[in-house]
């Protein structure tokens, strides 16, 4: 655990050095949030309620989605592990007396923690200043949101770790990221709340792992009965399920990959 704490701290420090980039990301997320919110306000002016969402719910989800972009990394960046697999430096990682997956999880949680504190909070704050957003009910509601955001970081890492491991077989994962970049933001509810999709489509997408990075956390914050089981507990259970399944798949894939390492150029 001491090693993993050190790796976590290293990830936190590394991303804290990019102050100008963090400010730029906050401004970008805030601007896109305002634009998306204005579009949805126009939509809900014509139709005040859609599948249990009103304008206030939709605008709140817009800023939750923008706030979670840094934590979820649903649009990138990929893990540095991908480049290390491509150039062969992963061989050094495999020599460490710690799990490859646990090492990179600790590192990425450091990144996600920084993003949550210095990108997510200011972005959501802009939404609070400019719009009438909804908030969780009481301390228990806020606690559920924090747990949900922590699970977002784990699910997001587990997916990106699997994308990275594809490099053991493909040597170049740009195609994987191209496909993920198209599917992920849509299935997560980043571009448009899933509740605005046809009901059957939205219900299916809500059960996929990408939804646990945006749509489910947003519904937990809003306290919606569209969550699995119709409760916040059901939403957290779904996130925990995908976190466990994806980490297990990552462990299995790591075991398989290290039996047949193919290094490009060496």
């Amino acid at each position: 655990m001491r090693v993993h704490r050190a790796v976590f701290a290293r990830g936190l420090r590394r991303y804290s050095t990019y102050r100008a980039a963090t400010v730029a990301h906050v401004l970008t997320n805030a601007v896109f949030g305002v634009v998306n919110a204005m579009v949805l306000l126009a939509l809900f002016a014509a139709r005040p309620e859609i599948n249990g969402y009103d304008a206030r719910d939709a605008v709140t989800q817009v800023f939750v989605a923008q706030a979670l972009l840094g934590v979820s990394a649903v649009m990138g960046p990929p893990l540095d592990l991908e480049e290390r697999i491509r150039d062969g430096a992963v061989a050094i990682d495999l020599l460490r007396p710690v799990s490859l997956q646990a090492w990179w999880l600790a590192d990425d949680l450091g990144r996600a923690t920084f993003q949550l504190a210095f990108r997510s909070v200011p972005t959501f704050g802009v939404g609070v200043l400019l719009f009438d957003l909804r908030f969780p009910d009481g301390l228990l509601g806020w606690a559920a949101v924090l747990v949900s955001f922590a699970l977002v970081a784990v699910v997001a890492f587990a997916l990106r770790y699997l994308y990275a491991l594809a490099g053991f077989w493909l040597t170049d994962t740009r195609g994987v990221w191209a496909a993920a970049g198209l599917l992920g933001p849509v299935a997560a509810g980043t571009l448009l709340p899933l509740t605005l999709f046809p009901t059957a489509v939205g219900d299916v997408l809500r059960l996929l792992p990408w939804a646990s990075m945006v749509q489910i956390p947003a519904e937990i914050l809003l306290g919606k009965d569209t969550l699995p089981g119709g409760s916040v507990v059901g939403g957290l259970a779904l996130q925990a399920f995908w976190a466990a399944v994806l980490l297990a798949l990552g462990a299995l894939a790591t075991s398989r990959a290290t039996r047949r390492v193919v290094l490009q150029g060496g």
Side-chain angles (χ1 to χ4, degrees):
M1 291 302 296
R2 184 166 52 195
V3 171
H4 296 113
R5 285 196 298 270
V7 175
F8 172 87
R10 185 197 67 169
L12 187 62
R13 286 196 304 271
R14 181 155 61 101
Y15 279 87
S16 68
T17 61
Y18 302 118
R19 296 182 180 89
T22 300
V23 172
H25 284 141
V26 170
L27 291 174
T28 302
N29 294 152
V31 169
F32 273 95
V34 170
V35 171
N36 291 347
M38 297 303 293
V39 170
L40 288 177
L41 285 174
L43 171 64
F44 279 90
R47 186 174 174 183
E49 192 272 336
I50 302 175
N51 293 334
Y53 265 50
D54 58 19
R56 192 180 179 192
D57 294 330
V59 172
T60 300
Q61 175 158 339
V62 164
F63 279 94
V64 170
Q66 290 299 319
L68 286 176
L69 273 179
V71 177
S72 67
V74 69
M75 296 180 178
L79 292 174
D80 293 342
L81 175 61
E82 296 192 19
E83 180 61 30
R84 295 181 68 80
I85 291 173
R86 186 159 48 246
D87 64 19
V90 69
I92 298 172
D93 299 340
L94 294 172
L95 291 175
R96 297 190 184 107
V98 294
S99 161
L100 181 70
Q101 185 179 46
W103 175 282
W104 285 99
L105 174 60
D107 180 77
D108 199 57
L109 288 179
R111 176 202 63 82
T113 300
F114 175 82
Q115 296 288 344
L116 179 63
F118 296 100
R119 183 173 170 183
S120 301
V121 172
T123 299
F124 194 76
V126 171
V128 171
L129 290 174
L130 298 179
F131 299 94
D132 180 23
L133 304 186
R134 292 196 189 278
F135 299 100
D137 294 328
L139 291 177
L140 193 58
W142 281 109
V145 169
L146 288 176
V147 172
S148 177
F149 284 8
L151 288 169
V152 168
V154 178
V155 172
F157 162 78
L159 279 170
R160 290 160 62 233
Y161 183 75
L162 287 171
Y163 301 159
L165 288 185
F168 277 107
W169 289 272
L170 303 177
T171 69
D172 190 336
T173 56
R174 284 177 293 183
V176 174
W177 262 104
L182 291 174
L183 173 63
V186 175
T190 301
L191 301 181
L192 193 68
L194 298 185
T195 193
L196 301 185
F197 285 63
T199 302
V201 176
D203 288 346
V204 171
L205 291 177
R206 192 176 277 105
L207 296 176
L208 299 180
W210 294 277
S212 288
M213 295 192 290
V214 175
Q215 183 67 36
I216 299 301
E219 292 183 353
I220 287 173
L221 187 148
L222 293 168
K224 289 296 181 182
D225 59 9
T226 49
L227 288 164
S231 68
V232 168
V233 173
L236 292 173
L238 179 63
Q239 286 184 284
F241 167 79
W242 279 119
V245 168
L246 292 172
L247 288 175
L249 287 174
L252 177 62
T254 301
S255 176
R256 296 287 179 85
T258 52
R259 293 176 188 171
R260 57 173 308 278
V261 179
V262 177
L263 302 180
Q264 185 172 346

